[in-house]
Amino acid sequence: NEPTLLYTVCVGEENWVDSRTVYIGHKEPPPGAEAYIPQRYPDNRIVSSKYTFWNFIPKNLFEQFRRIANFYFLVIFLVQLIIDTPTSPVTSGLPLFFVITVTAIKQGYEDWLRHKADCSINECPVDVVQQGKVVRTQSHKLRVGDIVVVREDETFPCDLILLSSSRHDGTCYVTTASLDGESSHKTYYAVPDTMAFRTEQEVDSLHATIECEQPQPDLYKFVGRINIYKDKEEPVARPLGAENLLLRGATLKNTQHIYAVAVYTGMETKMALNYQSKSQKRSAVEKSMNAFLIVYLCILISKAVINTVLKYAWQWSPDRDEPWYNHRTENERQRHVVIRAFTDFLAFMVLFNYIIPVSMYVTVEMQKFLGSYFITWDEEMFDEELGEGAQVNTSDLNEELGQVEYVFTDKTGTLTENNMEFIECCVDGNVYIPHAICNGQILSAASSIDMIDSSPGGYRREHEDLFFRALCLCHTVQVKEEETVDGIKRGIHQGRPTSFYISSSPDEVALVEGMKRLGYTYLRLRDNYMEILNKDDEIERFELLHVLNFDSVRRRMSVIVKSSSGDYLLFCKGADSSIFPRVVSGKVEQVKARVEQNAVEGLRTLCVAYRRLSESEYAEACHHLTEAKLALQDREQRLAQAYDIIERDFVLLGATAVEDRLQEKAADTIESLHKAGMKVWVLTGDKMETAAATCYASKLFRRSTQILELTKKRTEEQSLHDVLFELNRTLLICTSGSPHLHICILLSVDCLDFGLIIDGATLSAVLKPNQESAGHGNYREIFLEICRNCSAVLCCRMAPLQKAQIVKLIKASKEHPITLAIGDGANDVSMILEAHVGIGIMGKEGRQAARNSDYAIPKFKHLKKMLLVHGHYYYIRIAELVQYFFYKNVCFIFPQFLYQFFCGFSQQPLYDTAYLTLYNISFTSLPILLYSLVEQHVTMETLKREPSLYRDIAKNSLLRWPVFLYWTCLGVFDAVIFFFGAYFLFDNTTFTSNGQVSLRLPFLNYQRMYYVFMQMLSSGPAWLSIILLITVSLLPDVIKKVLCRAMCPTATERAQSTRPCLTVEPSTIFMLSQSSSRMSF
Amino acid sequence: MMASSYNAKDEDGHITVSGPGGGTLRSKKPENTAFKQQRLPAWQPILTAGTVLPAFFIIGLIFIPIGIGLYVTSNNIKEFEIDYTGVDMSSPCFNCSQNFSWNSTRPCTCTIPFYLDQPYESNVFMYYGLSNFYQNHRRYVKSRDDSQLNGDTESLTKPSKECEPYAFHENKPIAPCGAIANSMFNDTLELFYNNPNGTKSEIPLTTTGIAWWTDKHVKFRNPGGNNPNLTAVFQGTTKPVNWHRPVYELDTDAENNGFINEDFIVWMRTAALPTFRKLYRIIQKKNNMVPTLPRGNYTLEVVYNYPVRSFEGRKRMILSTISWMGGKNPFLGIAYITVGSVCFFLGVVLLIIHHKYGNRNNSADISN
């Protein structure tokens, strides 16, 4: 049974379009093979910068003017340049220039940093084998097909296929901490045919080509094939997978040096492909901001239209149009009236265009950008153990944190510690508990095992042996000797040199450690032989033939080993739901009972089964696997099929139970979120009983919660349809205004608190488009209706994609609620990306979730502060900022509109050029920016203590239309007060004591403002009027606030009044500063 | 905020590439400063009935006396206004307003008698007022050349384009150019006191001191520096079409001639509203014993040059004394009194509300 025979089988004549052929060492293949087609690949230059020195200005300008607001102001500016408009082009050109420059400087600086970083990376030295010698070159000169030498602790310069390493078994250890945060050492393998190369000369003599897929961003997927030409023989083809591919950015560990060949370089490396920006998420505030802008645009246009029409109505008589003192030029007179009217319209547009706040976007951006530092600076969200605080990956969504209505959380690693501890195992119903009291008998770690019931010795004995061996063999744990360890790992002292178990799955570590405590120690994997120290201190060796890796769809993993006696054994461990259907014998009932009991206690259970393979069966399995592994296309699918064929006809051995403790303060956090009006959903791949137990422990479900079940078990008894309707009816009776309502309340007060449990299978049935029974209506709607009425929902047995589906379903429901997803593992990434706000926990299962999230926090408990304090503040701040921006511009421009009635609709601007220019970019944007950075209307402590305050800002409440209308009306009122106040106070009067007439607006275009100020501010009545007008303009707002507070105070206001509060009252101070600046005309 | 998110991600990438990879667990613990932890000391006024109440009462108590003071001051100011447009048949200026023509060389004069029932004690300011005259029309406002008025010799011969169509006349540059200058108010007003013995005595009117100091000394300058011979300086330019005299003949006094003529400066400062008044002359107080304008009959003699009938405008002559708060304006006083009383009234209303709801809130808090 020489496996190489099987390897030579040529695999599928698939379509090769999507693949590339790499000629190792740039050597042509021997004649007879495929034609040598030199392909062109990019060099190994990493370009993360967006701009070059030459294209910065045009490209950056293009990028910026793609924004609708910038483009709008550009158009206004051009209109001002072209036609004769009331205000000089400077008034809109300068703010635009300011905004564009600020943004360009910021982006340019960032790009310069990127250039610098790129440079240092591209020029770092790399050793390449050329003509049998090691040549030192620069990283960016690497090309696909080069053979690279990498030494210990060096970073791989590009994506490489491992050819050989200094270790004898052709493996090397790599840490991908910088790629995905997993600090564990991963093992990579060389192809057996090349692993013997030791020197440069030998490597250089290699004649081979690699065929592989075109670059893909998935870090964990790679399919390829290496064809090795030896003398005149047929080429030998070997499969290449992710375990052969060394990724750029990863670091070589515990291996002196390796030889590897470059397959993806430069921007085609997986790392580079992964750092492309993901899709943009937009916050609800931004959406309402855009809606408000459109309203203001409409106001602007209608103002311009009204004025144009009025102008022509007013000008009907020629004496008004052209009195003797004010003639037109000949040119103007000859222009057609339509053109004149259109020009007038444009002129009015220009005059009133300041109603659109030009600096709003830039101010909002600055606010978000600077404001997000408060999250990273927060000491309370710093985790000593991890040595890290919260991270902000995008500041776009700060205020969205204050708007969350649905929280979707992962269970393992998020709610729980993901710090597994082996609790017990059961073989055929016999329970084994290491290091614990059992039946009054103290069992020490490596001592004998308690047997609860006695059954026929031989059979039992055999199963027990198999069970422990299965657990010792069926895993992907690595053993780390002490001296090579870095990072935080748990050591197991054995008397011999301390060693550590490292694995990407904490369950496996817990199991292997548990086995050790039960007397079976997994020692190491050496030369494809797994060594176990059994209870009798004998070393057993098993040849590891195949590993059928774990994946979350299959929910199990298997190994095929050959024992020293020559038996082929397939060991499999996995979730009970994926094992039981494949079991043909064994004590299923007892094990099942035990599994269920453990699950109820909140333990994570795994079932273990095995299958003895005959030689022919093994050969067949081998054939399936190699064929699938060699396939270049659909490899995943083929592998899954192969696994499905191999993993069947099991004999059940037993089950294990592992405890996963709840995270610190998880229950408190969930309770707070509940009080804040958020609905918390737990989405987990775990089984229902375990998940439910966790939910009870974390207070997601209280004792009083009425649990509704929507599980496969139930739907098997009744049809899905009936169950759905029944649940819906139960809910409706209690929640809606049915006549039974009061009875219901009388019967049980807790009736209104519902929890729903649904499993993956039922969920997919619910979500399946329902074609046959159209008469029964849409399940989806009913399901949503049920969910809406439940305060807590638990979805168990979920595949990663289903998690995203759920999030999407809720997102798309009628109310379009804001969703937040929080998780720590790779299986949560899809839901993190799908939700409005994605939060990653820097957990034990790597950093993928944190990397793909919008915000990353060290622990679940930090979510409370993140949402209740930071989210609340950010929302309040940004909402006030946005409203104020619109308010101030109404306030500014409305007098301009009124003035048109007094100047014959001639587009005479009311303000001086300098004032028009600076009003938006500095006078009124800087104070509010400061305000929006530091405003705290309620103290942090109050916010944390009273989560219900969060309800006050739910549903975008500060940016709803009535509020917007209120602010706009306030703006109009103030504008009217200022305009008519000034009109009456200064009308027809002499203001200065020397009798000179100084009318209100003498600073028409070409006059010097300074003297006007001097004249005005030296007169007493001017000051008196300023005081009066400010008082009047503040009156309505103050009264409204006082009345609202007295009549129907919100929770926030109550919290404010019970406790002395911080910072300034919103509008007042800024209105003051703003009003006084306005009044200075 | 695309840029920053992009940045954050990139930084991430670079740290991973350039750093030694792993093992970079230097303490990133944030500093515990008041600013970074958002614990800056702050003060927030909470607008409750309790806090706002005293403020309202105080505002009321301050504003009402101020308002009364302003109102009394304003009422003490004496002001007399007479419309001499000549719209009515009965008006003495009716003929002049009817027979108006730009080309007439013979000035039309009319005499209007009036009676002051109170003596005017201190300096009296004489204004002319125009109505329905859109000095704030955009085309009008910009029709001037500031650099020309500031004495720039180049602009003198090449007036700015803004002055069109009042920039050139018969191919000669107009000085001062533009619509504003062209339409300068050119009625001449003279005041006579009808002595009880039947004789008329002319009241002396001061022509200087009516413009802003800054306008007279900074903004407006004659071209040619201190050259006293303005005729030579304005050589090659022509007078505005509607003017009777060139600009260098506006006054005999060199300090009040040319562009720095104060009547001209006052006119050039455009009014903001279509109804406006501009200072014309000042009647200086002579001695403390005699009022500047005693009670009695007066005659206003108008040289009627300025047409306003075509645009339905009005012309007025105003005599007014002033106080520290300027001219007569009862509005400010009334506004202060009104706002003060409103605040006081609101204070009372709030007191009631506070009394009713404040207690309820407190009890609610206790029960919570």
Side-chain angles (χ1 to χ4, degrees):
Chain A
N1 60 336
E2 176 57 53
T4 36
L5 284 174
L6 293 162
Y7 282 130
T8 52
V9 174
C10 199
V11 183
E13 296 300 314
E14 291 107 339
N15 193 359
W16 290 88
V17 177
D18 277 11
S19 68
R20 56 166 58 179
T21 309
V22 177
Y23 302 95
I24 297 177
H26 310 290
K27 286 192 213 106
E28 292 180 34
E34 301 152 50
Y36 173 63
I37 314 154
Q39 282 165 287
R40 294 180 62 84
Y41 302 114
D43 62 7
N44 196 32
R45 191 184 297 273
I46 278 277
V47 186
S48 63
S49 53
K50 266 160 94 182
Y51 311 107
T52 64
F53 185 74
W54 304 110
N55 73 8
F56 177 72
I57 290 179
K59 199 173 167 190
N60 184 264
L61 284 183
F62 176 73
E63 290 280 319
Q64 293 207 38
F65 284 118
R66 281 203 331 202
R67 280 192 152 183
I68 195 78
N70 287 349
F71 185 72
Y72 164 80
F73 286 104
L74 181 71
V75 169
I76 291 284
F77 177 64
L78 292 179
V79 166
Q80 281 182 312
L81 282 182
I82 294 162
I83 67 162
D84 167 48
T85 53
T87 54
S88 82
V90 177
T91 55
S92 66
L94 198 69
L96 185 66
F97 179 75
F98 170 78
V99 167
I100 297 281
T101 321
V102 166
T103 320
I105 288 174
K106 183 171 152 257
Q107 291 179 352
Y109 175 70
E110 284 166 10
D111 210 54
W112 180 68
L113 288 181
R114 277 179 228 144
H115 267 286
K116 251 183 33 181
D118 286 353
C119 249
S120 68
I121 294 163
N122 288 334
E123 280 166 17
C124 73
V126 173
D127 290 334
V128 174
V129 177
Q130 280 176 358
Q131 274 101 43
K133 282 191 214 87
V134 176
V135 180
R136 180 151 281 218
T137 176
Q138 282 179 332
S139 166
H140 65 94
K141 289 181 183 151
L142 267 185
R143 283 166 52 225
V144 169
D146 280 344
I147 299 173
V148 184
V149 187
V150 183
R151 303 203 166 69
E152 186 165 1
D153 291 332
E154 279 181 358
T155 307
F156 301 120
C158 57
D159 290 354
L160 304 161
I161 291 290
L162 181 60
L163 291 177
S164 73
S165 87
S166 59
R167 294 169 78 99
H168 292 282
D169 53 359
T171 57
C172 71
Y173 293 106
V174 164
T175 151
T176 52
S178 47
L179 274 177
D180 56 12
E182 292 178 36
S183 53
S184 64
H185 292 190
K186 291 188 186 126
T187 317
Y188 285 80
Y189 303 90
V191 185
D193 305 68
T194 60
M195 66 189 234
F197 296 127
R198 285 281 164 270
T199 62
E200 291 86 48
Q201 286 78 15
E202 280 172 352
V203 171
D204 204 41
S205 68
L206 173 68
H207 219 108
T209 59
I210 291 172
E211 289 165 87
C212 59
E213 57 185 355
Q214 290 295 351
Q216 272 186 26
D218 190 329
L219 289 180
Y220 306 100
K221 258 184 207 160
F222 175 74
V223 253
R225 182 162 71 186
I226 181 167
N227 299 308
I228 301 162
Y229 303 93
K230 279 181 191 154
D231 302 327
K232 303 262 181 282
E233 293 169 29
E234 273 288 291
V236 183
R238 300 280 175 188
L240 295 174
E243 70 277 6
N244 305 108
L245 183 72
L246 306 167
L247 299 176
R248 176 178 192 147
T251 314
L252 185 65
K253 294 279 178 191
N254 297 348
T255 313
Q256 279 174 347
H257 65 265
I258 57 150
Y259 295 102
V261 60
V263 284
Y264 303 133
T265 50
M267 296 312 287
E268 292 184 343
T269 58
K270 287 184 181 281
M271 190 194 77
L273 291 174
N274 263 286
Y275 284 117
Q276 275 160 12
S277 55
K278 56 193 175 210
S279 70
Q280 286 284 304
K281 291 181 180 177
R282 288 205 313 163
S283 75
V285 169
E286 212 176 319
K287 281 175 205 154
S288 24
M289 222 156 86
N290 290 342
F292 295 165
L293 268 186
I294 289 169
V295 171
Y296 271 52
L297 203 64
C298 295
I299 294 180
L300 168 67
I301 292 173
S302 54
K303 269 186 180 177
V305 169
I306 289 172
N307 266 338
T308 316
V309 171
L310 284 177
K311 177 179 172 132
Y312 282 86
W314 187 81
Q315 280 183 355
W316 200 244
S317 94
D319 272 336
R320 284 221 185 112
D321 188 18
E322 278 190 90
W324 62 264
Y325 56 85
N326 193 9
H327 283 295
R328 279 177 218 281
T329 56
E330 262 326 292
N331 266 347
E332 274 176 59
R333 238 175 256 166
Q334 275 155 13
R335 228 176 269 159
H336 193 269
V337 69
V338 174
I339 296 175
R340 273 212 311 245
F342 184 67
T343 327
D344 276 325
F345 171 74
L346 285 183
F348 278 119
M349 286 283 282
V350 168
L351 186 67
F352 300 139
N353 91 78
Y354 303 93
I355 199 172
I356 308 285
V358 60
S359 54
M360 183 170 73
Y361 279 99
V362 90
T363 314
V364 165
E365 263 190 26
M366 294 224 282
Q367 192 269 345
K368 286 180 172 181
F369 179 67
L370 297 176
S372 65
Y373 278 101
F374 283 120
I375 291 184
T376 42
W377 281 338
D378 195 324
E379 212 188 0
E380 281 176 47
M381 296 212 282
F382 181 81
D383 190 71
E384 299 283 351
E385 199 181 306
L386 272 172
E388 276 182 274
Q391 269 175 28
V392 179
N393 293 336
T394 168
S395 54
D396 284 353
L397 300 169
N398 287 346
E399 68 278 359
E400 204 83 334
L401 291 172
Q403 291 296 301
V404 176
E405 287 165 73
Y406 281 84
V407 175
F408 297 95
T409 161
D410 176 40
K411 187 178 78 75
T412 313
T414 308
L415 279 179
T416 59
E417 287 266 15
N418 205 10
N419 188 359
M420 305 295 169
E421 201 167 335
F422 181 80
I423 298 296
E424 62 159 53
C425 59
C426 103
V427 182
D428 292 343
N430 309 326
V431 179
Y432 299 80
I433 300 173
H435 205 56
I437 300 160
C438 187
N439 286 4
Q441 191 183 354
I442 296 168
L443 301 165
S444 74
S447 73
S448 66
I449 292 155
D450 178 52
M451 300 154 198
I452 290 175
D453 70 43
S454 50
S455 48
Y459 172 74
R460 230 199 93 202
R461 184 79 203 167
E462 190 205 336
H463 266 202
E464 191 192 297
D465 280 353
L466 275 172
F467 178 81
F468 291 124
R469 288 195 176 81
L471 283 181
C472 284
L473 298 171
C474 182
H475 55 73
T476 53
V477 170
Q478 295 160 35
V479 181
K480 242 344 47 104
E481 305 299 327
E482 217 254 336
E483 65 272 14
T484 63
V485 159
D486 58 358
I488 327 134
K489 291 286 173 283
R490 283 164 293 161
I492 309 111
H493 196 72
Q494 294 183 308
R496 282 187 289 273
T498 320
S499 58
F500 295 88
Y501 292 125
I502 295 169
S503 167
S504 50
S505 151
D507 290 73
E508 291 198 326
V509 177
L511 286 175
V512 176
E513 277 174 12
M515 283 304 108
K516 184 185 242 175
R517 281 188 279 160
L518 287 173
Y520 290 82
T521 314
Y522 169 63
L523 292 178
R524 65 191 67 86
L525 174 73
R526 179 183 288 167
D527 301 332
N528 246 357
Y529 281 92
M530 294 177 105
E531 296 179 354
I532 297 172
L533 187 71
N534 70 9
K535 240 179 351 191
D536 308 324
D537 269 353
E538 291 160 7
I539 290 180
E540 296 174 22
R541 286 162 61 86
F542 292 85
E543 188 184 357
L544 179 63
L545 299 168
H546 287 285
V547 177
L548 283 62
N549 278 321
F550 177 84
D551 67 62
S552 50
V553 182
R554 245 165 75 239
R555 304 175 56 79
R556 61 178 179 269
M557 74 160 291
S558 312
V559 287
I560 302 177
V561 295
K562 189 177 167 188
S563 71
S564 45
S565 58
D567 295 331
Y568 290 101
L569 292 166
L570 172 84
F571 291 116
C572 180
K573 73 168 197 265
D576 53 351
S577 63
S578 61
I579 297 279
F580 284 134
R582 295 168 178 272
V583 165
V584 288
S585 68
K587 295 189 173 176
V588 180
E589 286 313 309
Q590 287 100 314
V591 174
K592 209 174 206 167
R594 189 70 200 166
V595 164
E596 271 165 20
Q597 190 192 331
N598 283 338
V600 169
E601 285 167 23
L603 303 175
R604 293 161 71 86
T605 55
L606 281 178
C607 291
V608 183
Y610 86 106
R611 178 184 169 202
R612 213 173 277 274
L613 298 173
S614 69
E615 209 147 295
S616 60
E617 279 173 327
Y618 171 67
E620 197 192 335
C622 245
H623 173 77
H624 282 303
L625 284 176
T626 38
E627 195 170 287
K629 276 188 190 166
L630 270 180
L632 273 186
Q633 301 202 331
D634 301 330
R635 184 184 279 185
E636 297 296 313
Q637 209 181 323
R638 281 154 173 269
L639 270 177
Q641 282 168 5
Y643 290 161
D644 199 49
I645 295 168
I646 297 166
E647 292 171 328
R648 60 190 159 81
D649 303 337
F650 288 135
V651 178
L652 187 67
L653 288 172
T656 59
V658 169
E659 188 184 19
D660 188 3
R661 270 192 310 256
L662 270 190
Q663 276 209 1
E664 198 188 344
K665 289 188 182 163
D668 171 56
T669 308
I670 288 203
E671 230 179 344
S672 306
L673 297 186
H674 263 297
K675 276 190 201 150
M678 282 175 253
K679 293 190 173 161
V680 182
W681 290 37
V682 174
L683 310 181
T684 176
D686 229 329
K687 51 207 301 294
M688 189 189 123
E689 290 80 7
T690 320
T694 314
C695 288
Y696 275 112
S698 60
K699 298 207 179 144
L700 184 68
F701 295 154
R702 264 150 291 186
R703 292 292 150 208
S704 57
T705 307
Q706 190 179 338
I707 302 289
L708 309 171
E709 271 182 43
L710 198 61
T711 52
K712 212 174 154 201
K713 217 190 286 168
R714 249 192 105 172
T715 46
E716 271 164 3
E717 292 159 15
Q718 296 165 277
S719 77
L720 176 67
H721 177 82
D722 293 342
V723 178
L724 274 174
F725 273 88
E726 195 190 309
L727 292 183
N728 201 18
R729 210 167 43 242
T730 332
L731 280 169
L732 280 179
I733 288 169
C734 291
T735 50
S736 73
S738 77
H740 302 291
L741 180 64
H742 57 281
I743 306 168
C744 187
I745 289 169
L746 285 178
L747 285 175
S748 106
V749 193
D750 311 313
C751 185
L752 293 173
D753 193 16
F754 284 102
L756 176 75
I757 300 179
I758 184 167
D759 63 4
T762 323
L763 183 77
S764 53
V766 168
L767 297 188
K768 202 166 52 192
N770 179 7
Q771 58 278 66
E772 305 117 45
S773 52
H776 294 309
N778 206 343
Y779 291 159
R780 195 184 283 247
E781 284 306 309
I782 304 163
F783 174 64
L784 275 177
E785 185 65 39
I786 295 172
C787 292
R788 226 172 274 141
N789 290 320
C790 292
S791 58
V793 177
L794 165 64
C795 304
C796 43
R797 292 281 182 240
M798 303 289 279
L801 263 180
Q802 277 187 313
K803 293 188 179 184
Q805 264 182 344
I806 290 245
V807 176
K808 199 173 197 165
L809 179 76
I810 296 297
K811 248 172 88 176
S813 70
K814 277 204 297 281
E815 299 94 349
H816 296 289
I818 309 292
T819 55
L820 176 142
I822 177 166
D824 71 323
N827 58 342
D828 306 314
V829 171
S830 57
M831 105 179 151
I832 284 175
L833 290 178
E834 179 66 45
H836 290 104
V837 189
I839 293 194
I841 292 202
M842 305 164 181
K844 293 201 168 63
E845 288 182 13
R847 284 289 163 87
Q848 275 154 305
R851 241 185 37 214
N852 285 293
S853 63
D854 303 311
Y855 301 90
I857 50 177
K859 287 275 163 62
F860 183 71
K861 64 174 175 180
H862 297 134
L863 187 65
K864 180 176 170 186
K865 186 162 190 200
M866 193 86 167
L867 296 183
L868 297 186
V869 179
H870 288 291
H872 198 125
Y873 279 161
Y874 284 127
Y875 180 71
I876 294 270
R877 290 170 185 173
I878 202 98
E880 294 273 352
L881 178 70
V882 170
Q883 297 283 25
Y884 178 80
F885 257 92
F886 286 106
Y887 156 81
K888 79 178 172 66
N889 280 36
V890 171
C891 216
F892 182 55
I893 278 312
F894 199 69
Q896 186 96 274
F897 173 73
L898 292 176
Y899 186 57
Q900 297 310 309
F901 290 84
F902 295 89
C903 71
F905 305 100
S906 61
Q907 302 121 22
Q908 175 59 42
L910 188 56
Y911 309 104
D912 181 67
T913 309
Y915 195 62
L916 278 174
T917 315
L918 292 177
Y919 182 83
N920 269 327
I921 60 178
S922 75
F923 290 168
T924 53
S925 71
L926 296 183
I928 191 69
L929 176 65
L930 191 68
Y931 166 84
S932 67
L933 282 176
V934 299
E935 158 76 354
Q936 297 180 5
H937 60 304
V938 184
T939 57
M940 262 188 217
E941 285 68 36
T942 321
L943 281 178
K944 265 193 277 182
R945 205 180 45 240
E946 310 226 4
S948 55
L949 295 183
Y950 196 81
R951 288 169 195 258
D952 271 8
I953 57 164
K955 303 244 178 229
N956 211 356
S957 64
L958 297 184
L959 288 174
R960 268 188 247 147
W961 290 108
V963 188
F964 173 67
L965 205 66
Y966 169 73
W967 276 87
T968 305
C969 289
L970 207 62
V972 171
F973 172 79
D974 286 353
V976 169
I977 288 291
F978 288 140
F979 183 78
F980 285 104
Y983 178 81
F984 285 115
L985 290 175
F986 294 63
D987 185 33
N988 264 347
T989 11
T990 322
F991 236 40
T992 45
S993 38
N994 61 3
Q996 287 158 352
V997 180
S998 52
L999 280 176
R1000 181 169 50 119
L1001 323 145
F1003 50 98
L1004 303 172
N1005 264 350
Y1006 303 96
Q1007 306 179 11
R1008 299 183 198 186
M1009 276 288 289
Y1010 172 73
Y1011 304 119
V1012 179
F1013 271 116
M1014 232 171 68
Q1015 288 282 339
M1016 292 302 297
L1017 298 186
S1018 58
S1019 76
W1023 285 105
L1024 284 176
S1025 335
I1026 289 172
I1027 294 169
L1028 179 79
L1029 293 188
I1030 291 173
T1031 316
V1032 174
S1033 58
L1034 287 182
L1035 266 184
D1037 195 38
V1038 169
I1039 290 167
K1040 182 237 161 198
K1041 285 208 162 80
V1042 171
L1043 288 186
C1044 283
R1045 192 179 281 276
M1047 305 293 190
C1048 44
T1050 59
T1052 317
E1053 283 167 346
R1054 251 187 236 132
Q1056 280 177 336
S1057 48
T1058 48
R1059 195 148 277 271
C1061 277
L1062 302 181
T1063 64
V1064 271
E1065 175 67 21
S1067 43
T1068 323
I1069 298 297
F1070 290 101
M1071 263 196 216
L1072 280 176
S1073 70
Q1074 193 260 336
S1075 312
S1076 50
S1077 64
R1078 278 209 66 253
M1079 275 308 300
S1080 48
F1081 55 71
Chain B
M1 179 154 203
M2 191 172 156
S4 84
S5 64
Y6 191 89
N7 183 32
K9 277 183 77 74
D10 279 341
E11 271 174 13
D12 222 359
H14 289 309
I15 287 165
T16 59
V17 177
S18 53
T24 49
L25 280 177
R26 69 198 151 86
S27 179
K28 288 186 256 171
K29 192 173 168 73
E31 289 168 55
N32 184 10
T33 56
F35 173 65
K36 288 192 173 180
Q37 301 306 325
Q38 307 199 48
R39 277 190 272 103
L40 287 177
W43 167 78
Q44 181 179 31
I46 305 268
L47 296 178
T48 58
T51 48
V52 171
L53 262 180
F56 273 17
F57 283 121
I58 291 169
I59 289 176
L61 288 178
I62 294 176
F63 273 27
I64 293 173
I66 292 180
I68 292 169
L70 286 173
Y71 188 72
V72 171
T73 319
S74 172
N75 268 1
N76 282 341
I77 296 169
K78 298 177 185 93
E79 194 176 275
F80 177 81
E81 188 172 314
I82 188 165
D83 186 326
Y84 68 92
T85 324
V87 185
D88 291 336
M89 296 279 275
S90 57
S91 167
C93 291
F94 181 70
N95 280 338
C96 285
S97 72
Q98 289 298 308
N99 304 332
F100 176 79
S101 116
W102 284 110
N103 302 327
S104 67
T105 46
R106 201 172 49 80
C108 175
T109 318
C110 49
T111 310
I112 301 135
F114 62 92
Y115 176 74
L116 289 183
D117 51 6
Q118 281 173 314
Y120 283 38
E121 295 290 346
S122 58
N123 285 353
V124 176
F125 295 80
M126 182 175 176
Y127 302 89
Y128 58 88
L130 292 176
S131 299
N132 214 11
F133 188 99
Y134 283 83
Q135 231 192 350
N136 57 6
H137 196 279
R138 185 159 70 92
R139 199 164 62 225
Y140 184 83
V141 167
K142 67 179 183 181
S143 184
R144 60 192 284 163
D145 185 346
D146 274 326
S147 64
Q148 190 191 48
L149 297 174
N150 199 25
D152 190 85
T153 36
E154 201 173 319
S155 305
L156 189 69
T157 46
K158 289 196 198 77
S160 142
K161 208 166 79 356
E162 305 281 3
C163 285
E164 293 288 350
Y166 303 99
F168 289 93
H169 182 62
E170 290 163 353
N171 288 329
K172 276 185 173 174
I174 297 175
C177 72
I180 311 179
N182 184 56
S183 58
M184 182 177 157
F185 183 76
N186 58 358
D187 280 358
T188 310
L189 308 176
E190 281 176 326
L191 266 187
F192 293 93
Y193 176 59
N194 297 350
N195 285 320
N197 55 18
T199 58
K200 274 187 180 178
S201 59
E202 185 176 353
I203 295 167
L205 303 171
T206 319
T207 56
T208 53
I210 56 173
W212 291 14
W213 187 91
T214 50
D215 281 356
K216 171 126 185 165
H217 295 92
V218 183
K219 270 194 85 172
F220 290 81
R221 266 192 221 127
N222 275 327
N226 292 325
N227 189 346
N229 188 358
L230 286 178
T231 322
V233 170
F234 283 99
Q235 191 68 44
T237 64
T238 183
K239 69 176 174 66
V241 186
N242 290 351
W243 285 22
H244 293 291
R245 286 171 295 181
V247 68
Y248 46 85
E249 284 173 21
L250 284 176
D251 201 338
T252 46
D253 179 11
E255 283 302 305
N256 195 27
N257 201 8
F259 290 156
I260 55 170
N261 177 275
E262 292 201 17
D263 284 335
F264 176 64
I265 293 174
V266 166
W267 179 256
M268 290 305 282
R269 190 160 276 283
T270 48
L273 295 170
T275 300
F276 59 91
R277 58 168 76 166
K278 282 177 186 290
L279 188 58
Y280 186 63
R281 295 286 181 264
I282 298 172
I283 306 164
Q284 300 282 0
K285 186 176 173 68
K286 282 185 221 84
N287 56 46
N288 289 334
M289 306 306 291
V290 193
T292 324
L293 292 180
R295 211 165 74 142
N297 284 313
Y298 291 83
T299 313
L300 174 68
E301 280 199 14
V302 181
V303 181
Y304 200 105
N305 291 325
Y306 206 72
V308 291
R309 293 290 304 278
S310 63
F311 52 87
E312 288 157 14
R314 291 301 179 101
K315 296 197 281 192
R316 289 160 296 144
M317 190 282 300
I318 302 110
L319 292 173
S320 169
T321 61
I322 60 163
S323 69
W324 61 271
M325 60 165 286
K328 192 181 184 82
N329 185 9
F331 182 78
L332 188 60
I334 294 170
Y336 259 94
I337 294 172
T338 318
V339 173
S341 342
V342 167
C343 279
F344 204 84
F345 172 71
L346 284 172
V348 173
V349 172
L350 286 179
L351 190 67
I352 298 165
I353 289 170
H354 183 56
H355 198 70
K356 269 179 84 172
Y357 289 88
N359 293 341
R360 200 182 68 182
N361 281 350
N362 288 341
S363 59
D365 281 339
I366 291 162
S367 70
N368 282 348

